[in-house]
Amino acid sequence: MKHVLVTGGAGYIGSHACKALQAAGYTPVAFDNLSTGWEEAVQFGPLARGDLMDRASIDAAFAQYQPIAVMHFAALSLVGESMSDPGKYWRENVTGAANLLDAAVAAGCLDFVFSSTCATYGDQDGVVLDEATPQMPINAYGGSKKAIEAMLADYGAAAGLRSVIFRYFNVAGADPEGKIGEQHRPETHLIPLMLDAIEGKRPALTIFGSDYPTEDGTCIRDYVHVADLVDAHIAGLRWLEEGRGSDVFCLGTGRGFSVREVVEASRTVTNRDVPVVEGTRRAGDAAALVCGSRKAVDVLGWRPERSTLPVMIADAWRWQQSAGYEH
Ligand code: UDP
């Protein structure tokens, strides 16, 4: 049985990765402290309850399950919070990753798939973002992820660690079978907040800034379906298992949508009114983040077929209406 240690396996992307791993014949071990994850999301393999700030708990998981690889999702990931409390991001994300890497090397588990982000690029007006674009983060979240990418190179040189880094654009949608989905405490992401507003669970969606240098004044993001995203991780794992070297791939569709376009698409998909108010900019937000690379498609054979706005919103809407984990 091939175990894969999935840090953050009870979270949004991590739980979808566990489902994809199980479907691909692996046994995912969800390593999670359940601070933001959901025990109900751990459906595809065992839960190893532990904390990346507690090295002994990581060592115990490696000793118990002898994983062949690690997929590292666990992290603090809120741009706004990282601006107001940067120390928390630097401490937990970077120290947590160092603890995990030390434990992996000590256990001889040298294949590592890492969840990085387009937030490592910062705000590069008009630049097509790809794997070669210089990383100039403008928030502590992106800064901490960039630092971990550098750590992976160092552990590669020092200990032979092999890593596949994925820089995600905006992840959206839910499991097409409706078993798991996106649910954060507190929720800060655009699509779930908008669906909440449509259902009347919140008074309205606030658009964070309508004075950006974009066509309609709102931020542009490149949205990727979570099911497509985790498929790329399986391809990345196989890449490492085949003995290929460390590499980095951007995961986006190459097509950006403004906040207003996402609002319009949600109106169409749900056939409901979307209450919206216009607010000020959120600190740390770049005007536009769009992926300019087809490397994952060309090299890994990735096919992001569910990554259209109507499909992502429809899957998220079905999950939202099922009341998620809080039945
Ligand atoms: N956004 C917004 N209102 C909200 C939440 C998000 O206008 O209540 C915008 C945000 O400024 C960004 C986009 O929606 O341009 C996506 O934000 P999200 O927090 O979902 O993801 P992020 O880009 O931070 O990873």
Side-chain angles (χ1 to χ4, degrees), residues 48 63 112 128 175 184:
F112 199 95
V128 171
D175 171 31
H184 297 101

Side-chain angles (χ1 to χ4, degrees), residues 154-168:
D154 290 343
Y155 279 78
L161 189 96
R162 295 171 293 269
S163 58
V164 166
I165 294 170
F166 287 115
R167 293 187 193 136
Y168 310 161

Side-chain angles (χ1 to χ4, degrees), residues 47 58 122 131 142 146 179 237 263 277 285:
L47 171 66
I58 313 171
E131 292 79 6
K146 183 185 170 196
K179 290 185 174 167
L237 176 60
V263 169
V277 295
D285 266 343

Side-chain angles (χ1 to χ4, degrees), residues 228-297:
D228 289 338
L229 186 94
V230 298
D231 279 352
H233 289 63
I234 303 298
L237 176 60
R238 295 215 160 109
W239 170 275
L240 291 171
E241 279 193 293
E242 286 163 10
R244 314 223 203 163
S246 297
D247 216 327
V248 53
F249 300 92
C250 290
L251 296 179
T253 64
R255 172 87 209 273
F257 294 94
S258 71
V259 175
R260 281 195 219 284
E261 285 178 303
V262 178
V263 169
E264 275 318 308
S266 302
R267 227 186 280 281
T268 307
V269 168
T270 63
N271 203 20
R272 304 263 279 269
D273 189 37
V274 188
V276 162
V277 295
E278 303 215 350
T280 53
R281 292 183 179 196
R282 181 174 66 177
D285 266 343
L289 291 169
V290 180
C291 180
S293 168
R294 287 180 47 86
K295 185 178 169 189
V297 170

